Amino acid sequence: APMAGELRCQCLQTEAAVIHPKRIAHVELIPEGPHCGVPEVIATTKHGKKVCLDPTAPWVKLIVTKIMNSKSNKL
Amino acid sequence: APMAGELRCQCLQTEAAVIHPKRIAHVELIPEGPHCGVPEVIATTKHGKKVCLDPTAPWVKLIVTKIMNSKSNKL
């Protein structure tokens, strides 16, 4: 995972192809800040591959919403 | 960061106190899956502390939305 102290943008470009949510192990959200002028979304697939996603893409927003709202919650 | 191959829930409990978005370096979203029946949201503060957040809490959803939508975007 990108380090908290990293001093530049992690993503040189973002993935254009849609990734199925089932392939995603976890997603990292990095706010914009002094290190980088844009927010970054880095998905790690279940095969361990890291992929930069476009936070403005509707399908990326949908993946994030799906993760947050999944409700087989055993709370 | 929690490993992709981790086989159980990472969060034993979630933080009740609201954390200011400016204190957050990055946020990790882990979908529910065979390893854990609930989605998990793990924030790392700029001081490097990891904190589990409740994905159902409105302020947590707001933080995620804010990160995704921040638009000083230099794209």
Side-chain angles (χ1 to χ4, degrees):
Chain A
M3 288 176 292
E6 194 73 39
L7 292 175
R8 53 178 175 75
C9 295
Q10 307 283 315
C11 296
L12 298 179
Q13 55 184 29
T14 56
E15 180 67 36
V18 172
I19 298 172
H20 196 285
K22 287 193 176 170
R23 287 183 53 211
I24 294 176
H26 57 96
V27 176
E28 188 158 21
L29 310 178
I30 307 172
E32 63 175 67
H35 68 289
C36 182
V38 294
E40 299 184 287
V41 178
I42 304 172
T44 302
T45 70
K46 287 176 180 167
H47 292 104
K49 188 183 168 196
K50 286 187 186 296
V51 183
C52 287
L53 308 182
D54 175 4
T56 68
W59 70 271
V60 174
K61 290 181 190 289
L62 192 63
I63 282 177
V64 167
T65 305
K66 273 186 85 162
I67 293 174
M68 297 289 290
N69 291 343
S70 60
K71 281 283 199 181
S72 63
N73 280 3
K74 294 171 188 164
L75 293 178
Chain B
M3 290 177 289
E6 194 74 38
L7 292 175
R8 55 179 175 73
C9 295
Q10 308 282 315
C11 296
L12 297 179
Q13 54 184 31
T14 56
E15 180 68 37
V18 171
I19 298 172
H20 195 285
K22 287 193 176 170
R23 288 183 52 211
I24 294 176
H26 57 97
V27 176
E28 187 159 23
L29 310 178
I30 307 172
E32 64 175 66
H35 67 289
C36 182
V38 295
E40 298 183 288
V41 177
I42 304 172
T44 302
T45 71
K46 287 176 180 167
H47 292 104
K49 188 183 169 195
K50 287 187 184 298
V51 183
C52 287
L53 307 182
D54 176 3
T56 68
W59 71 273
V60 174
K61 290 181 189 291
L62 193 63
I63 282 177
V64 168
T65 305
K66 272 186 87 161
I67 294 174
M68 297 290 289
N69 290 345
S70 60
K71 281 282 198 181
S72 63
N73 280 2
K74 294 170 189 165
L75 292 178

